[in-house]
């Protein structure tokens, strides 16, 4: 049995989209496998897009989980999210893979890990991230911070 902490980053303009997820996650914290819930609601452009996610990730890791489940702020999780992810990771997690996309419309069935070119990866509703590598992920994201204009041209 693994332990999990949820991490969600959002912005004030998306609060209405986030509130249903917040209620669902709050109800999931009674599961003994859930050891933390971290939400970062930072204003942009005052806070860089990467920094908002970094704050949520750091807070989730501080609760001491095996895995961080990093969710989109408008995700609609299934009823047994924690149990389903725990079972899936038990069956599919590989020691050398530290990040798994969950609920990703990549068009690849039953791919147990992120083993395709990163440039082909375009979205995911959630990521399961090994907490043991989260600090290095945060360091990378901060060192390679995105500029808000990155998203304006999309």
């Amino acid at each position: 049995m693994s332990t999990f902490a949820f991490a969600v980053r959002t912005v004030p303009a998306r609060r209405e989209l986030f509130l249903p997820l917040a209620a669902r996650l709050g109800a999931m914290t009674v599961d003994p496998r859930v050891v933390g819930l971290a939400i970062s609601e930072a204003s942009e452009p005052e806070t860089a897009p990467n920094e908002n996610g970094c704050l949520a990730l750091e807070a989730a890791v501080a609760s001491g989980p095996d895995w961080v489940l990093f969710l989109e702020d408008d995700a609609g999780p299934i009823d047994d999210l924690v149990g389903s992810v725990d079972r899936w990771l038990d069956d599919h997690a590989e020691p050398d893979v530290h990040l798994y996309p969950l609920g990703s419309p990549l068009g690849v069935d039953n791919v147990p890990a992120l083993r395709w070119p990163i440039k082909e990866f375009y979205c995911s509703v959630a990521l399961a991230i090994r907490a043991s590598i989260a600090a290095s992920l945060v360091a990378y994201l901060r060192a390679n911070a995105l500029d808000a204009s990155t998203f304006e041209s999309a």
Side-chain angles (χ1 to χ4, degrees):
M1 179 174 87
S2 294
T3 57
F4 301 89
F6 293 110
V8 182
R9 55 107 186 94
T10 190
V11 294
R14 293 179 57 87
R15 185 172 289 140
E16 287 186 33
L17 296 172
F18 170 66
L19 290 176
L21 174 63
R24 299 279 309 271
L25 294 179
M28 289 182 204
T29 60
V30 299
D31 188 313
R33 294 170 289 196
V34 177
V35 297
L37 170 57
I39 299 162
S40 177
E41 183 182 59
S43 296
E44 294 172 356
E46 294 85 14
T47 303
N50 280 11
E51 186 60 21
N52 197 6
C54 289
L55 293 170
L57 188 55
E58 284 178 322
V61 170
S63 62
D66 299 315
W67 293 90
V68 174
L69 297 180
F70 198 97
L71 302 170
E72 287 292 328
D73 62 355
D74 61 350
I78 61 174
D79 288 337
D80 185 28
L81 175 66
V82 175
S84 294
V85 171
D86 195 17
R87 289 185 298 275
W88 191 89
L89 289 169
D90 279 346
D91 291 343
H92 299 286
E94 300 172 21
D96 64 331
V97 178
H98 306 293
L99 184 144
Y100 294 89
L102 306 171
S104 181
L106 295 170
V108 179
D109 294 328
N110 300 314
V111 174
L114 189 57
R115 297 238 187 252
W116 49 87
I118 194 68
K119 67 182 179 182
E120 293 180 20
F121 181 80
Y122 59 92
C123 72
S124 184
V125 175
L127 300 170
I129 305 166
R130 287 187 196 275
S132 61
I133 63 96
S136 64
L137 177 58
V138 167
Y140 174 84
L141 291 172
R142 285 189 171 136
N144 297 279
L146 296 174
D147 182 294
S149 67
T150 302
F151 303 103
E152 292 170 7
S153 62

